[in-house]
Amino acid sequence: MDRDLRKEQYESSDRTGRLIINFRNINHTMRALYEGKGSQKRILIVLLETGEITQRVLTERLGIQPGSASEVLAKLEHAGLIVRRPSDEDRRTTNVSLTEIGRE
């Protein structure tokens, strides 16, 4: 849609219409920034902020299902951006951290 046409549509809308347009625009912006809830970029950002974190805590923080997280983490691991290791305290727990390449 042409920018002038969008502007005209916005200006001719009532308050509710403008609110809907604004929410749609915010949604598009958020999707562009985060590429979905469990995106690789978002996981890398969380790991950069936290350092090492358990896979369970990571999935809870991102609000995604463990299976979805495992799939994305496998791709990141295959790309050499993260490493997953069993916890020393609890072998049932997996710790996730960035590699040097992942930090870059």
Side-chain angles (χ1 to χ4, degrees):
M1 187 181 269
D2 178 59
R3 183 179 174 165
D4 291 331
L5 183 58
R6 286 192 309 251
K7 183 178 178 183
E8 182 181 319
Q9 181 185 18
Y10 182 82
E11 289 174 353
S12 66
S13 296
D14 63 2
R15 183 179 290 173
T16 303
R18 286 182 179 192
L19 185 62
I20 291 168
I21 291 168
N22 287 334
F23 277 129
R24 185 190 65 219
N25 292 341
I26 290 169
N27 178 50
H28 289 299
T29 301
M30 296 301 290
R31 288 187 65 82
L33 289 173
Y34 294 108
E35 300 171 7
K37 284 180 119 178
S39 75
Q40 293 180 12
K41 183 194 290 185
R42 190 157 175 235
I43 289 172
L44 293 173
I45 290 168
V46 169
L47 290 173
L48 189 60
E49 292 171 350
T50 62
E52 190 172 74
I53 189 172
T54 66
Q55 188 167 328
R56 180 174 177 229
V57 171
L58 180 63
T59 58
E60 288 172 358
R61 184 164 175 179
L62 296 172
I64 59 176
Q65 296 295 316
S68 300
S70 292
E71 184 178 331
V72 176
L73 290 172
K75 290 177 184 177
L76 290 169
E77 191 171 35
H78 182 72
L81 300 172
I82 67 160
V83 63
R84 292 188 278 185
R85 294 186 188 104
S87 170
D88 291 335
E89 294 86 35
D90 182 354
R91 290 289 179 179
R92 297 170 295 174
T93 302
T94 301
N95 292 328
V96 182
S97 59
L98 291 172
T99 63
E100 262 320 299
I101 296 169
R103 277 187 209 80
E104 293 174 13

